[in-house]
């Protein structure tokens, strides 16, 4: 018995169905709403954060915020960036979080204190870097 392939209109219909089935998953993903994609990025960010992969967590939280603009994500960005050592970015996101959240935010005083401490740490790091640069330049000049 010989296998035959569809011909004519049947072949065209078969080919169209096959192509459609190939592209349905890609099309469905493209049609996925921003909120669903934001939730997916947030979940990835949480996983990375728990693993200690803070740079990856920042990337995912950033994408989630870009898609949803939910202020709570700014808090996630702040914590991940602080852990990753990007203190300036952490302070910026914490400040933005405090601006976007209601004045009645339960832990506002604590977060404002953290922001002040972050700024103090940033200033101390800047001073230390300046002093190290000056010391290096002085050492090079005396050699």
């Amino acid at each position: 018995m010989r296998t035959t392939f569809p011909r004519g209109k049947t072949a065209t219909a078969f080919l169209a169905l096959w192509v459609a089935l190939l592209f349905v998953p890609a099309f469905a993903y493209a049609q996925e709403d921003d909120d669903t994609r934001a939730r997916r990025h947030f979940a990835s960010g949480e996983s990375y954060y728990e693993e200690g992969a803070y740079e990856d967590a920042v990337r995912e939280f950033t994408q989630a915020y870009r898609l949803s603009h939910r202020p709570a994500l700014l808090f996630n960005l702040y914590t991940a960036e602080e852990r990753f050592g990007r203190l300036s970015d952490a302070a910026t996101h914490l400040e933005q979080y405090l601006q976007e959240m209601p004045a009645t935010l339960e832990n506002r005083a604590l977060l404002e204190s953290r922001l002040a401490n972050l700024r103090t740490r940033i200033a101390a790091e800047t001073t230390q870097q300046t002093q190290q640069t000056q010391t290096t330049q002085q050492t090079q000049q005396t050699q």
Side-chain angles (χ1 to χ4, degrees):
M1 178 185 251
R2 191 171 90 159
T3 304
T4 59
F5 294 100
R7 295 176 188 213
K9 290 183 181 180
T10 306
T12 304
F14 177 76
L15 181 61
L17 177 64
W18 186 77
V19 169
L21 289 174
L22 274 177
F23 290 104
V24 164
F27 181 74
Y29 182 78
Q31 294 298 312
E32 188 175 59
D33 68 344
D34 286 348
D35 190 55
T36 302
R37 290 188 358 234
R39 289 175 192 274
R40 189 170 298 157
H41 283 291
F42 173 76
S44 293
E46 266 190 324
S47 293
Y48 284 129
Y49 185 89
E50 292 300 319
E51 293 171 5
Y54 301 117
E55 184 175 21
D56 294 325
V58 167
R59 183 189 66 242
E60 294 298 326
F61 290 148
T62 299
Q63 286 300 319
Y65 182 73
R66 185 184 60 77
L67 291 165
S68 73
H69 300 288
R70 288 195 172 112
L73 288 163
L74 294 167
F75 184 83
N76 296 94
L77 279 166
Y78 144 68
T79 58
E81 287 170 335
E82 183 180 29
R83 295 268 176 113
F84 187 55
R86 293 183 184 165
L87 299 184
S88 183
D89 291 337
T92 298
H93 283 114
L94 180 54
E95 184 174 29
Q96 191 177 356
Y97 172 74
L98 289 168
Q99 288 172 354
E100 292 191 27
M101 294 303 287
T104 57
L105 182 65
E106 188 175 311
N107 59 346
R108 180 173 289 280
L110 173 65
L111 294 176
E112 288 173 347
S113 176
R114 286 184 183 180
L115 181 57
N117 287 335
L118 263 176
R119 289 180 177 150
T120 300
R121 289 169 56 195
I122 292 166
E125 282 186 2
T126 302
T127 300
Q128 183 181 12
Q129 288 172 353
T130 301
Q131 289 172 345
Q132 287 175 346
T133 300
Q134 290 172 348
T135 302
T136 301
Q137 289 172 348
Q138 290 172 352
T139 303
Q140 290 174 349
Q141 289 174 355
T142 58
Q143 289 180 354

